[in-house]
Amino acid sequence: MSLFSRPLRATCSVALLLPAFLAGCAGDKQPTKFAPLRYDYLSVMHLNAATLNIEDATLQNPVVGDIGNRAPTPPVQALRQMAQDRLVATGSSGTAQFVIDRASILHQAGGVLAGQMDVHLVLLNSGGTQAARAEAHVSQTLRPDLSKGDADSPANLYELTNDMMQRMNVEFEYQIRNTLKDWMTDAGGTPVGSAIQSQSLDAPGTKSSKAASTAVPAAAVPAAATGVTSTPALTTPAITTPEVTTPTITTPTVTVPTVSTPNVSVPDATSATTLPENAPVSETSGSSAATSEGSSSGSTTTGNAASAKTSEPDPVFPAGEDDDASSSTTTKARSPAPGVLQLPKK
């Protein structure tokens, strides 16, 4: 007779096989393989430097409680891979130094994972003096899905690291193209503009992957996402003073005509008037001669009449004119003196 009944044996068998079955189901849900984090499909940033150095400063400044090294791709390794894939030195002198200041993941209370990444890029001239600097900072928290296992499972750590690296690629490129735009070149070493090339951060082959990158202005990235506030460069417009041409004023030459004073021949007023010897002598002539004593012609005529009157008696008035007759203005004709008229000579 059997010690145990058939139902009891079946129950015991199920109880023994159930833990193994549950363990197998849980193992199927947790991924065991993770794709490496690479960024060579993103745009490359060429720096005006001869060499590029990558330095891990987290070794000298470890963070207490950091569990980032348990991730399939530790944050430090992901940041180093980003610098190797996206930074290229194409200059002839100087050094570009990429420094990882912090790359940690902390398991906080309540099962929350808190990650933080801090990096900076320094450009040194040939003498070793710092010429330019840019910084990028990213911090993120994740409340893990416990269906994937514990909060600090590899799958959760990988998810948080991947999310932080996507944000770091955007922030780091923005800082480089804005703060170090004067130190960027193209593949041949020629300085380029400050346009930011934006493209999908997903790995090639995914649904959201884009084949070509598009240029977007630097202002498209919000200022809150930047770790360092940089003052934009102000471009002063060139003011050109217009050239004023002064016209040449020519003074016209005015020709003044020469005014010549004509020579006017004035007859001599003192020339004597020649009278014929037998011309009758009128009283008017005598009166005019007596009135105009200043005229030389009147004086000569008066003198001749006076001498004629004195030398020859008047046949009408032998005794001469009285005073009343001499003052009369009426012209009187007189007969010539006897023996005065002469016949013309043939």
Side-chain angles (χ1 to χ4, degrees):
M1 181 175 181
S2 174
L3 296 177
F4 301 98
S5 62
R6 181 175 298 178
L8 181 61
R9 290 198 303 269
T11 303
C12 293
S13 300
V14 172
L16 293 175
L17 296 176
L18 182 61
F21 177 76
L22 294 177
C25 294
D28 294 337
K29 291 182 179 180
Q30 294 183 356
T32 57
K33 295 182 179 181
F34 302 92
L37 299 180
R38 300 188 61 86
Y39 309 99
D40 51 359
Y41 60 93
L42 296 176
S43 61
V44 177
M45 292 174 285
H46 299 269
L47 303 176
N48 190 7
T51 57
L52 173 64
N53 296 332
I54 300 175
E55 178 182 346
D56 183 8
T58 61
L59 300 177
Q60 293 80 17
N61 301 295
V63 178
V64 179
D66 181 22
I67 59 174
N69 57 349
R70 295 164 51 182
T73 302
V76 174
Q77 180 181 344
L79 291 173
R80 180 185 294 273
Q81 190 65 44
M82 180 189 71
Q84 293 175 350
D85 291 341
R86 305 200 61 190
L87 296 180
V88 177
T90 55
S92 58
S93 63
T95 303
Q97 188 171 353
F98 179 82
V99 181
I100 304 173
D101 298 314
R102 179 169 177 169
S104 63
I105 297 178
L106 300 178
H107 189 180
Q108 298 179 347
V112 178
L113 299 179
Q116 183 171 350
M117 293 180 176
D118 300 328
V119 298
H120 72 270
L121 178 65
V122 178
L123 291 176
L124 307 176
N125 56 23
S126 57
T129 305
Q130 177 177 319
R133 178 188 175 97
E135 299 179 1
H137 308 274
V138 170
S139 60
Q140 185 169 337
T141 59
L142 174 66
R143 187 175 296 275
D145 183 5
L146 298 181
S147 63
K148 298 180 181 179
D150 297 336
D152 54 354
S153 65
N156 292 329
L157 296 177
Y158 179 84
E159 180 181 354
L160 179 59
T161 303
N162 187 32
D163 292 344
M164 287 194 298
M165 287 304 301
Q166 290 186 6
R167 296 181 56 192
M168 174 57 72
N169 274 280
V170 176
E171 175 69 13
F172 183 64
E173 182 174 357
Y174 174 79
Q175 293 296 332
I176 294 298
R177 294 191 182 277
N178 276 271
T179 308
L180 304 180
K181 60 182 179 180
D182 295 334
W183 294 86
M184 296 190 65
T185 65
D186 57 8
T190 304
V192 296
S194 59
I196 294 181
Q197 301 295 326
S198 176
Q199 62 185 124
S200 174
L201 296 176
D202 297 329
T206 59
K207 295 182 180 180
S208 61
S209 177
K210 297 182 181 179
S213 62
T214 57
V216 298
V221 182
T226 62
V228 177
T229 303
S230 59
T231 303
L234 299 179
T235 304
T236 303
I239 301 177
T240 304
T241 303
E243 182 179 357
V244 179
T245 304
T246 304
T248 303
I249 301 176
T250 304
T251 304
T253 304
V254 179
T255 304
V256 180
T258 303
V259 180
S260 302
T261 304
N263 296 326
V264 180
S265 299
V266 181
D268 190 0
T270 59
S271 60
T273 303
T274 306
L275 297 177
E277 295 180 356
N278 55 354
V281 178
S282 63
E283 188 176 355
T284 304
S285 301
S287 300
S288 299
T291 304
S292 305
E293 293 179 359
S295 175
S296 59
S297 62
S299 299
T300 306
T301 306
T302 305
N304 292 336
S307 59
K309 183 178 181 182
T310 304
S311 59
E312 297 180 0
D314 189 354
V316 179
F317 302 96
E321 296 180 294
D322 51 5
D323 296 334
D324 296 334
S326 62
S327 61
S328 177
T329 59
T330 303
T331 303
K332 298 180 181 181
R334 295 181 180 180
S335 300
V340 175
L341 296 175
Q342 294 181 3
L343 296 174
K345 295 180 181 182
K346 297 181 179 178

